[in-house]
Amino acid sequence: MVTQLQSPEKAKIIYPDDNGEPMSDNTEQFRLIVWIKENLELLFASMADVFVAGNLLWYPVEGNNKISQAPDAMVVFGRPKGYRGSYQQWNEENIVPQVAFEIWSPGNRLTPMLQKLRFYEQYGVEEYYLYDPANVDLTIWERREQRLEPIEEVNGWVSPRMGVRFQVSETELEIFRPDGTPFVSFVELAQLREQAESRAEQERQRAEQERQRAEQERQRAEQAETMLEQERSRSQALEARLRDMGIDLNQL
């Protein structure tokens, strides 16, 4: 086995984990980033070779720490989950993040956003999603050969890679899992879990009440059987006593 050694120049290069820019400019941008990233984490939780990250620096070129981008959320198929300080592509079997998300904020400017598009196009992203919450506007690009081309109709668009469906209403962006259930916030998820647990407890209580009623019916049936047996025994005892007295009940 031959071990490839890094050149001294490459070994000295530091790839920072932080580009000095804030994750978000406001609470709505932060909410959307977390919403998308965490729902994608949940969607692919059972798939060991799908890595999901938020605001993680991606370095596509070994030896150049000036070329980087930190998507608000990204999905990498074919790479294991786990800790990264940054996504250094040459250490990841040279697998490109296939999906990138960006959330537009008031602090964004057109030129940097166009530069992001060109970056994702140049370095191999297959699907790029840009959402502007202020204008409730979603733009989707899909790779066709060497270019990222915009999708004409985003409503009902199903991601080829993720299988999720996108819908933009008059007021918000909606994303649906492959089974049709919507992405939810973790507050909503906790509420749904509490509701499910409450329904399960109510079902348990109803089942217990039914069990108790069934037990009471069984006990009543046993009591009735016991009383019937007692009456039968008394009747038989009376018949025997009358016979001992020489009385034939059939002649009465």
Side-chain angles (χ1 to χ4, degrees), residues 61-249:
V61 180
E62 184 178 12
N64 191 332
N65 61 7
K66 303 300 182 183
I67 301 176
S68 66
Q69 198 58 254
D72 287 334
M74 69 180 188
V75 184
V76 191
F77 293 85
R79 295 306 300 151
K81 304 180 191 304
Y83 171 82
R84 273 98 165 160
S86 61
Y87 189 86
Q88 299 173 19
Q89 188 173 311
W90 57 94
N91 291 326
E92 305 283 355
E93 298 184 2
N94 211 37
I95 293 178
V96 175
Q98 295 94 348
V99 182
F101 288 85
E102 295 287 354
I103 307 299
W104 189 287
S105 75
N108 291 134
R109 295 293 178 265
L110 182 58
T111 297
M113 296 307 287
L114 289 174
Q115 290 173 345
K116 286 187 178 185
L117 173 60
R118 297 283 78 85
F119 178 98
Y120 295 142
E121 183 175 67
Q122 179 178 352
Y123 291 106
V125 166
E126 296 176 11
E127 301 174 28
Y128 173 37
Y129 299 85
L130 173 61
Y131 180 60
D132 177 2
N135 295 303
V136 196
D137 181 64
L138 174 65
T139 308
I140 303 173
W141 289 266
E142 182 186 24
R143 180 165 295 275
R144 295 171 184 167
E145 296 181 354
Q146 301 303 313
R147 295 182 60 83
L148 284 174
E149 300 288 351
I151 299 300
E152 291 184 5
E153 182 54 63
V154 299
N155 271 328
W157 166 260
V158 176
S159 161
R161 271 290 185 175
M162 301 177 291
V164 300
R165 177 170 58 87
F166 295 82
Q167 196 75 29
V168 180
S169 69
E170 293 183 357
T171 58
E172 64 181 351
L173 168 67
E174 296 176 291
I175 306 177
F176 299 86
R177 296 163 60 100
D179 64 1
T181 58
F183 278 22
V184 296
S185 71
F186 275 73
V187 171
E188 293 169 327
L189 186 61
Q191 292 172 339
L192 289 171
R193 183 181 296 113
E194 289 175 359
Q195 291 170 5
E197 290 174 350
S198 177
R199 285 193 297 269
E201 178 60 20
Q202 290 172 358
E203 287 299 323
R204 188 196 66 77
Q205 291 176 357
R206 277 196 291 269
E208 178 62 20
Q209 290 170 355
E210 288 297 326
R211 188 195 66 78
Q212 291 176 356
R213 279 196 291 270
E215 177 63 19
Q216 290 170 355
E217 289 297 326
R218 186 190 65 78
Q219 292 175 355
R220 279 195 290 269
E222 287 182 352
Q223 291 171 356
E225 182 64 27
T226 300
M227 292 174 63
L228 181 60
E229 183 61 30
Q230 290 172 348
E231 287 297 324
R232 187 181 297 114
S233 296
R234 281 195 291 268
S235 178
Q236 291 173 348
L238 179 58
E239 288 180 8
R241 185 175 179 183
L242 290 173
R243 282 197 299 271
D244 290 344
M245 296 172 60
I247 299 173
D248 186 353
L249 291 178

